[in-house]
Amino acid sequence: MLGMFGVTMELQEASERSSSPGQPVRTKSVLGGGGGGDCSCDGVQPRARPALSPGHVLYGLHGNSFWLGSSLLDGMTQKTAFHRSQTLDYRNGYAIARRPTVGIGGTRLQVNQLSQADLDELASKAPVITYGPPKPAPPASFIPAHVAFDKKVLKFDAYFQEDVPMSTEEHYRIRQVNIYYYLEDDSMSVIEPIVENSGIPQGKLIKRQRLAKNDQGDHYHWKDLNRGINITIYGKTFRIVECDRFTQVFLESQGIELNPPEKMALDPYTELRKQPLRKYVTPSDFDQLKQFLTFDKQVLRFYAIWDDTDSMFGECRNYIIHYYLMDDTVDIREVHERNDGRDPFPLLMNRQRMPKVLVKNGKNFPRCVLEISDQEVLEWYTAKDFIVGKPLTILGRTFFIYDCDPFTRQYYKEKFGISDLPRIDVSKKEPPPVKQELPPYNGYGLVEDSAQNCFALIPKAPKKDVIKMLMHDKKVLRYLAALESPFPEDKDRRFVFSYFLATDMISIFEPPVRNSGIIGGKYLGRTKVVKPHSSMENPIYYSPSDFFIGAVIEVFGHRFIILDTDDYVLKYMESNASQYSPEALLSIQNRIRKQEAPAAELETSKHAEADPAAQELEAVIDTVQGQLKDHPCKGSIREAFQTWHKDASGYVDKETFFKICDSLNVPVDDSLIKELIRMCSHGEDKINYYEFVRAFSD
């Protein structure tokens, strides 16, 4: 269409150029498909058809033919390739689509434009049609004020002026307070920091409450608080001067412009008390010559020690301190002992005056170069500083005075009135013997074996009770036990406990059961088992009195219930009845009753041979024995009933009966088993399990 439109426009321009003013317009038009004849309009004669030049090409479309100019035809004839450019490429074996850069005929595409169909599709596409209407945003969750502003408090520093009418030294005082505003409920409190020995009741001046702002019932709000303002609370005017950082950030975030901070007002009387008092120095009447003549050759002698044992290679050394009363000088002499390995220096410190308190800058004074004068010392050591029983620090070394000579005692009694200066014993005392304690038990082996490692470098075996071993040699008590476990696969497991009387050791053996999925054999080797809730330092082991029918034995975290014993255990318990509790002896009686019960059953079966019902029961029992000869519950069904029913009466209620059968996987739904249960029933809710278990015994 574009090509046709261009040809038509070119013909129209040619016709306009060929026409002259005043003359009719002629157009070259050919009707028909074969080159046709000339057609004139309005009686105008047609002009002669010009001859075609070699460069002209004749095109026709829909039965119309046009004479085209040579320039247009030349532009169209320059294109020789009209295929589409390649848009598929392979890189490293993968197909990659690429955008074309040239169009049909090799014309370079300036931009990759979309087609009209693509533009129409994009214009008509609406996200509501594709994705549905947008979901409204969920409303913001409501947060109450007591949650949003919990533990958020505004703090202001303020002060108020209080008149002092009855004082000549002060007319008013300034009291500094802290004003707290609680954002959660708009309450306020005023607290005055406590100053020690102020003589004023301080602390909480106004307890937490909402404070009235005026007589109209309005209350103070955080918008009413700012720096540099006065607020009146209960007749007292408080001046707010500063606030903390949190308060400043909060108020600025709410659009409140804070006033510049002010300085806290100071109490004039308190500041007056801080000034140093005037000191009146009077000339002293002390005469050094008089002191020299009075106390010449009078020396106080003290015996002291220097304990340096806290430092590395330190020791406790003895010294003699001399105090010369004539000029208040001190020297320290070292006490040497024979073969102490030290050089015999006579003095640790030469005779000199000892400074006690230096001036503020006296610590940096170069004492190793120059002597200390009176200007660098506030106080010197005097005789009253040397007291028996008190430590004394001289030039960084602490001495403990433990004794003095008789002259020193007499001097202190006359001069200072101290008559009691006893000698303090500082002799070296032997340290108390270290109590040998065994280390905590590590859980390996027996406690007695582990303790031997602490008694000797080469441990020896602990001593054994030889007499007990000879008396009870080869005496073993055996018990049948069941494992108390929450897992159903452990309910049918049975264990044999062997208690060795000679060594008080226990071994556990599990008889293997075919097709049970559990490997039997030795469950626990010979060892002593500690009772639960006993300490590791003083363990209490299980004894024969702890084993009886119904007893619970805990072995290293596993609980076992004793179900039965052998005949030797019964004889041993009867011969040693004093070692067992009444509960254990009662279990023996129940065990004997259970042994007598099968004999009673045999007697009953003999009397029932003439009874037809008994004969029918025997026939059913024989049939069940043949049918369930390989059932896994045959060896444990009698023990299960005896465990549940301890009175040995032979009857159990139906609920207990079916619970035991369900735990042992007895096929109670079988018709033959149902008939056997019916024949063993006694009344409506009792079943004779003696007759029932006969069907499962060999």
Side-chain angles (χ1 to χ4, degrees), residues 367-508:
R367 283 168 281 180
C368 61
V369 178
L370 301 177
E371 295 182 356
I372 298 177
S373 61
D374 295 340
Q375 286 75 19
E376 286 82 24
V377 179
L378 294 178
E379 185 179 356
W380 301 88
Y381 274 110
T382 59
K384 63 181 180 180
D385 298 321
F386 295 83
I387 299 176
V388 176
K390 291 186 178 181
L392 185 69
T393 302
I394 299 176
L395 299 181
R397 184 174 296 189
T398 301
F399 297 90
F400 180 77
I401 302 175
Y402 65 89
D403 197 7
C404 61
D405 59 354
F407 173 77
T408 306
R409 284 188 172 88
Q410 185 66 26
Y411 177 81
Y412 271 84
K413 182 178 180 180
E414 296 176 357
K415 181 69 174 178
F416 303 106
I418 302 176
S419 59
D420 188 11
L421 291 176
R423 185 181 188 277
I424 300 175
D425 186 12
V426 293
S427 59
K428 295 182 180 179
K429 297 180 180 180
E430 293 294 334
V434 180
K435 183 180 179 180
Q436 295 183 356
E437 297 181 358
L438 295 178
Y441 179 58
N442 56 7
Y444 294 97
L446 299 178
V447 178
E448 294 80 4
D449 293 336
S450 300
Q452 297 301 320
N453 296 302
C454 304
F455 298 150
L457 184 61
I458 301 176
K460 299 179 181 180
K463 294 182 179 181
K464 299 180 181 179
D465 193 353
V466 181
I467 298 177
K468 183 178 181 180
M469 295 176 63
L470 294 176
M471 291 178 59
H472 300 286
D473 188 24
K474 299 182 180 179
K475 291 183 180 181
V476 183
L477 305 180
R478 292 181 175 85
Y479 305 86
L480 179 65
L483 178 63
E484 184 179 351
S485 174
F487 304 102
E489 58 269 14
D490 294 337
K491 292 183 179 180
D492 298 334
R493 300 177 65 181
R494 295 295 178 266
F495 300 85
V496 177
F497 277 66
S498 298
Y499 189 95
F500 300 89
L501 295 173
T503 58
D504 294 332
M505 292 187 177
I506 299 173
S507 66
I508 304 176

Side-chain angles (χ1 to χ4, degrees), residues 418-642:
I418 302 176
S419 59
D420 188 11
L421 291 176
R423 185 181 188 277
I424 300 175
D425 186 12
V426 293
S427 59
K428 295 182 180 179
K429 297 180 180 180
E430 293 294 334
V434 180
K435 183 180 179 180
Q436 295 183 356
E437 297 181 358
L438 295 178
Y441 179 58
N442 56 7
Y444 294 97
L446 299 178
V447 178
E448 294 80 4
D449 293 336
S450 300
Q452 297 301 320
N453 296 302
C454 304
F455 298 150
L457 184 61
I458 301 176
K460 299 179 181 180
K463 294 182 179 181
K464 299 180 181 179
D465 193 353
V466 181
I467 298 177
K468 183 178 181 180
M469 295 176 63
L470 294 176
M471 291 178 59
H472 300 286
D473 188 24
K474 299 182 180 179
K475 291 183 180 181
V476 183
L477 305 180
R478 292 181 175 85
Y479 305 86
L480 179 65
L483 178 63
E484 184 179 351
S485 174
F487 304 102
E489 58 269 14
D490 294 337
K491 292 183 179 180
D492 298 334
R493 300 177 65 181
R494 295 295 178 266
F495 300 85
V496 177
F497 277 66
S498 298
Y499 189 95
F500 300 89
L501 295 173
T503 58
D504 294 332
M505 292 187 177
I506 299 173
S507 66
I508 304 176
F509 179 79
E510 182 179 9
V513 180
R514 295 184 61 185
N515 299 328
S516 63
I518 299 175
I519 300 175
K522 183 184 293 186
Y523 188 81
L524 177 67
R526 288 192 185 187
T527 184
K528 289 184 178 181
V529 180
V530 182
K531 286 185 178 181
H533 310 295
S534 64
S535 61
M536 290 297 179
E537 291 76 14
N538 298 315
I540 302 175
Y541 299 101
Y542 277 105
S543 62
S545 60
D546 300 320
F547 289 81
F548 55 88
I549 297 176
V552 178
I553 307 299
E554 184 173 347
V555 181
F556 302 119
H558 299 276
R559 295 169 60 90
F560 296 88
I561 301 176
I562 304 299
L563 301 178
D564 201 356
T565 63
D566 59 0
D567 296 335
Y568 180 75
V569 176
L570 299 177
K571 296 179 182 179
Y572 180 82
M573 294 178 67
E574 291 176 356
S575 60
N576 300 275
S578 60
Q579 300 179 5
Y580 291 87
S581 61
E583 182 181 3
L585 297 177
L586 181 61
S587 66
I588 298 176
Q589 299 176 2
N590 296 335
R591 175 71 171 81
I592 296 174
R593 291 176 184 175
K594 293 178 183 179
Q595 289 180 351
E596 295 175 356
E601 293 176 2
L602 181 60
E603 187 68 22
T604 303
S605 62
K606 290 180 180 180
H607 289 288
E609 289 180 355
D611 189 2
Q615 293 179 0
E616 184 180 358
L617 177 61
E618 293 296 331
V620 173
I621 290 174
D622 294 339
T623 307
V624 173
Q625 286 181 350
Q627 183 177 352
L628 302 176
K629 60 180 180 178
D630 295 331
H631 199 274
C633 69
K634 293 183 64 177
S636 58
I637 186 170
R638 180 183 294 273
E639 299 173 357
F641 278 104
Q642 291 177 354

Side-chain angles (χ1 to χ4, degrees), residues 107-124:
T107 304
R108 185 171 184 81
L109 296 178
Q110 300 300 328
V111 293
N112 291 326
Q113 299 180 353
L114 298 176
S115 63
Q116 187 63 31
D118 296 339
L119 295 175
D120 295 340
E121 182 180 358
L122 293 176
S124 61

Side-chain angles (χ1 to χ4, degrees), residues 71-130:
S71 61
L72 178 62
L73 295 178
D74 292 341
M76 296 179 63
T77 56
Q78 289 178 358
K79 298 180 180 180
T80 59
F82 296 93
H83 61 275
R84 299 181 65 181
S85 60
Q86 180 70 19
T87 60
L88 182 64
D89 192 6
Y90 284 87
R91 183 176 297 174
N92 297 331
Y94 294 93
I96 300 175
R98 64 182 182 180
R99 301 176 66 89
T101 57
V102 296
I104 298 176
T107 304
R108 185 171 184 81
L109 296 178
Q110 300 300 328
V111 293
N112 291 326
Q113 299 180 353
L114 298 176
S115 63
Q116 187 63 31
D118 296 339
L119 295 175
D120 295 340
E121 182 180 358
L122 293 176
S124 61
K125 182 178 294 186
V128 178
I129 300 176
T130 305

Side-chain angles (χ1 to χ4, degrees), residues 653-686:
D653 57 289
K654 288 187 177 181
E655 182 180 358
T656 305
F657 176 83
F658 285 107
K659 185 182 295 183
I660 296 173
C661 293
D662 187 24
S663 64
L664 298 176
N665 297 325
V666 177
V668 294
D669 296 334
D670 188 73
S671 59
L672 192 60
I673 301 298
K674 288 182 179 180
E675 181 65 20
L676 178 61
I677 295 173
R678 185 189 64 78
M679 298 179 69
C680 295
S681 300
H682 181 77
E684 295 182 358
D685 58 347
K686 294 290 184 179

